[in-house]
Amino acid sequence: MKFGKEFASQTVPEWREAYINYKYLKALLKEILIFRQRRCRLPENSQVNPKPRLKRRVSLNFRAFSGLTNNSPRKYKEDHEVIVVNTMQQDEEQGRSSSTYHTIFLRSSEEGGDLELVFFKRLDDEFNKVVHFYKTKVEEAVKQAEELNVQMDALIALRIKVNNPLMETIQESKTREEHHDINEHKTASLDVLNRVKINATRETPRSTVRGVFNSLNVDLNYSKSEVKDAQGKLKQAFIEFHEKLRFLKNYAFLNQLAISKIMKKYDKITSRNASDAYLGMVEESQLSQSDEVAKLIERVESAFIKHFCKGDRNRGMNTLRPKSKREKHRVTFLVGCFFGCSLALVAAIITSIHARDLLNGEGKTKYMNTIFPLYTLFGFMVLHMLMYAGNVYFWTRYRVNYSFIFGFKQGKELRFKQVLLLSFGLSVLVLAAVLANLEMEMDPETQSYKALTELLPLGLAIAVVSIAICPFNILYRTNRFSFLVSLWHCVCAPLYMVTLPDFFLADQLTSQVQLLRNVEFYVCYYGWGDFKKRDAATCNDSNIYKTLSIVIAVVPYWIRLLQCIRRFCEGSDTTQAMNGLKYLSTIAAVVTRTIYTQNRGTTLKIVAASTSGVATIFSTYWDLVMDWGLLCKDSENPWLRDKLILPNKSIYFIAMVLNVILRLAWMQTVLDFHEASFLHRNALIAIVASLEIIRRGIWNFFRLENEHLNNVGKFRAVKSVPLPFSYEDQDKDL
């Protein structure tokens, strides 16, 4: 792999704009090379002073700085000098000063010197950008370390107070002697507990209701639950802080290496000797000389191992520096195996239908009204997972940091092959059950079907739910738990603080309305219907069932409306109020359409079409402008946005057109397409529902792309963890 690609692959995605623009600097060198080749009348593909290349390439993580440490510097005569590097001090706010580096190119009068002058000017700009960003981030890290130090004092004091109330004096003295915090100061005394309050750490519906009337900061009760909650939050804060420090360390290393590489290329192309002078300046800069980050990393690791891992270094380092997840060959094998089995089962189902002429049989209508809705529920699940697998693949390919955005634990996120494994595994089970349920012949005496095969869909549903809530460490327990937590937050909205995973999941549910209705049908069919005779008349003719069908269709949009209200109340963001109105208009559209399908009538048809039209326009605008950030008229990319991840701009326009078309799928309900269609009504409903799932899959990619670019614009690369203790202003400098 060439250095440029390896450099790009190891950068922090959210800090991409802050790195050396190696690609552009390399392009400037190419212009210099082309000029020199033309001047010397050399073939275009020739190289100046070609040197043999090493066959073996070593990863960036194990390469030396290669020229940044001048152990044996070469001396040149004055007439061989190419550049002079000046360092200028600039005063900033609060009495601080910063260094700005400026290179004087001494050969600008030579032919082609203007190109080299441009190169050094851009190189200086890039290097100054890197130094300024690094200095800013280091200052932030130092302040954050001080804050964690104060929090750690309170936690240690709370531990002593709760765990050994009779040994406070002894433990306090011992702690003062042994404990050294991040900044190498001794801990505060137990008196600190009299000047701190504990933030509401474990958010529950009850704590949210209490927080409406009371402050979120409450006095300490000196309970073990407080210790546990505070320790958990502070532990996570240490982990995130350590990750930020590692990002900073890698940032400094990669940029120094990139400058070293680009200067060596310059020397090679121009046959000059400018790299030593420039790299000497780099070595003397804060980017190389500052050891604050390295010291902070050592102290954070020491404090974390001592106070959160009981001195177990292996355990502590495995937590702070988790190993990258290796791709397992068995996952690839099982994906291929299950995919092949799915194709074979589909072929078997098609063959069985045609061989027995089941499409024209007497039981066709019964099957489509009963068994078909039961299995389409799983079909919707499989399709949604397949779309998500595609999302993960393209997010990974274009370096959209979906793991950070969703808040997955490092190394625990599912990759696209693992999502495919779950998808095809479920499809095999479903298709096998479908094949078993194709037996449509009744027992002539009892006029009923076999109970075993009729209970297959219910057994499959129970199995899926059991696996989802299984507490044992099988089938990606961490991911299942995160999913269930977000689902619970959605159900309890607005009693939980709304995070991106929560409202993202709620958005997925708005595209699975038909799946939720199928769940309702499951309950009715197996609870009140006669499943042995495939009779669902009790459900379909019930007014209660029809009313619940309307309520269930509204639930996902109602959840999103409540989430928008919660976010509006927390931040007074008018955007959330408008987003809530969007979901309110969608609720009106869903209710009127459902009522129209149940009762018909010209007036209802007009009302349903009107509300659906308004909701579609509102939702489409929100998708394209607010969620995707597109349709910016004055952007660098007309009608798109300034920053794009996909190289082909036409894909964005195709996605916008598809979104509009698929948004209009509701028209089949109002215009009564199913009455003139050769398809069964339930089959047409399933197709329309599948189109909505596909639309949501497309929406997911561009929604997360926009979120990622927002994080890039704000250089957010690590999660912000709320700290457990709140100090009064006058006591914070303890």
Side-chain angles (χ1 to χ4, degrees), residues 11-20 129 133-134 137-138 140 243-252 255 708 711-718:
T11 58
V12 179
E14 289 76 13
W15 293 356
R16 188 178 303 167
E17 298 297 325
Y19 283 84
I20 289 285
K129 175 188 73 175
F133 179 82
Y134 183 74
K137 288 297 180 183
V138 170
E140 290 178 5
E243 184 177 24
K244 180 179 180 178
L245 295 175
R246 287 191 290 114
F247 284 164
L248 271 175
K249 183 178 180 181
N250 186 60
Y251 174 84
N255 281 291
H708 172 76
N711 288 337
V712 169
K714 298 177 182 178
F715 299 107
R716 290 188 300 214
V718 293

Side-chain angles (χ1 to χ4, degrees), residues 481-605:
F481 180 76
S482 299
F483 171 78
L484 293 175
V485 168
S486 292
L487 185 61
W488 176 248
H489 288 180
C490 291
V491 172
C492 296
L495 299 179
Y496 284 96
M497 184 178 65
V498 182
T499 60
L500 187 142
D502 297 340
F503 69 74
F504 190 86
L505 177 59
D507 278 326
Q508 309 307 303
L509 294 178
T510 61
S511 295
Q512 287 286 12
V513 170
Q514 192 56 42
L515 180 145
L516 297 177
R517 283 175 169 167
N518 285 1
V519 172
E520 178 197 12
F521 182 74
Y522 258 93
V523 176
C524 183
Y525 183 66
Y526 285 106
W528 290 277
D530 191 349
F531 63 89
K532 289 185 179 180
K533 295 184 178 181
R534 292 185 180 173
D535 185 6
T538 306
C539 299
N540 296 329
D541 297 337
S542 171
N543 291 328
I544 297 177
Y545 181 84
K546 293 178 181 179
T547 303
L548 286 176
S549 179
I550 299 175
V551 174
I552 287 175
V554 167
V555 166
Y557 303 102
W558 180 252
I559 290 173
R560 284 297 289 122
L561 174 60
L562 294 177
Q563 288 177 338
C564 291
I565 293 174
R566 171 69 187 255
R567 296 180 72 186
F568 173 74
C569 294
E570 288 178 342
S572 298
D573 186 1
T574 56
T575 303
Q576 294 303 321
M578 295 298 294
N579 199 16
L581 288 177
K582 180 194 73 173
Y583 288 108
L584 196 60
S585 68
T586 306
I587 289 173
V590 170
V591 170
T592 54
R593 284 204 305 266
T594 308
I595 294 176
Y596 170 70
T597 58
Q598 294 176 358
N599 299 288
R600 304 296 174 180
T602 304
T603 303
L604 284 175
K605 186 172 186 177

